[in-house]
Amino acid sequence: QKEVEQNSGPLSVPEGAIASLNCTYSDRVSQSFFWYRQYSGKSPELIMSIYSNGDKEDGRFTAQLNKASQYVSLLIRDSQPSDSATYLCAVHYGGATNKLIFGTGTLLAVQP
Amino acid sequence: NAGVMQNPRHLVRRRGQEARLRCSPMKGHSHVYWYRQLPEEGLKFMVYLQKENIIDESGMPKERFSAEFPKEGPSILRIQQVVRGDSAAYFCASFRSNEQFFGPGTRLTVL
């Protein structure tokens, strides 16, 4: 059973702080990793993808991947109240279909 | 939503009725993925289709659920004889450059 695990939260951080979201996955053959943001009642929005070990930065967001430890994380710098949402970690386990396995998400609350 | 269209956005059905959910992928795309999000749960893969073919239906419930993507028109996810446990948000996604982009979803409520 391929799994993706996330702490459900809520993770509460003050405005301007760094929010750190973590995700672990069960299958070493995984190749592609994604972070989606989902506001309440809305659809998931892709914010980061990462395929290689190390860090990938895009604006205030940094994704970190460690395949040996089977975890992927998302850092949000200078957190804003508008970042308050559920963050979903998704993993593509390979194969021809590219289907994604999602974690249950971490609820982030940025306190003004 | 990157050009992925879904309708209706909200659908209310009584137990035993049929629900039809439609999805049009990004322009020029011929593949769609369907996912379901039950209340307080993560997204679960249901089915992957290309025009006129079901590629992977490993996430589809064995009964009452079916999906198609005809040569012309949108992809349709069909749920027969709905039950309250079918109440959920149903999302479809387009695939581009190894990434999936989701439509706005259909929120199904079964009374």
Side-chain angles (χ1 to χ4, degrees), chain A residues 48-74:
Chain A
M48 289 287 285
S49 58
I50 186 166
Y51 308 109
S52 304
N53 278 326
D55 294 1
K56 178 182 178 183
E57 187 174 318
D58 184 0
R60 296 187 296 113
F61 298 99
T62 299
Q64 299 174 317
L65 175 60
N66 184 323
K67 290 188 177 182
S69 299
Q70 294 176 237
Y71 86 81
V72 57
S73 62
L74 179 70

Side-chain angles (χ1 to χ4, degrees), chain A residues 18-34:
Chain A
I18 296 175
S20 178
L21 303 155
N22 300 311
C23 170
T24 59
Y25 58 95
S26 63
D27 196 321
R28 288 188 177 273
V29 302
S30 305
Q31 296 298 320
S32 306
F33 307 86
F34 307 89

Side-chain angles (χ1 to χ4, degrees), chain B residues 17-110:
Chain B
Q17 292 184 320
E18 179 179 286
R20 284 189 178 227
L21 290 63
R22 298 175 190 79
C23 169
S24 296
M26 294 178 184
K27 188 175 181 180
H29 288 212
S30 59
H31 298 239
V32 295
Y33 297 79
W34 285 93
Y35 293 82
R36 178 168 67 172
Q37 188 172 37
L38 293 166
E40 309 303 324
E41 292 189 16
L43 280 89
K44 303 289 186 186
F45 167 79
M46 299 182 76
V47 62
Y48 168 47
L49 309 102
Q50 68 179 46
K51 292 269 186 187
E52 299 185 281
N53 273 311
I54 297 174
I55 307 301
D56 182 348
E57 57 181 346
S58 59
M60 288 281 271
K62 299 301 181 190
E63 298 178 347
R64 303 188 296 108
F65 285 72
S66 62
E68 63 176 0
F69 193 6
K71 187 176 180 180
E72 301 292 336
S75 175
I76 295 174
L77 180 67
R78 181 184 180 202
I79 312 172
Q80 295 178 288
Q81 299 176 322
V82 296
V83 301
R84 286 197 174 140
D86 297 331
S87 295
Y90 293 82
F91 296 98
C92 73
S94 254
F95 181 80
R96 182 184 70 196
S97 301
N98 203 46
E99 296 174 339
Q100 292 188 25
F101 299 90
F102 286 83
T106 294
R107 281 150 184 83
L108 173 66
T109 301
V110 180

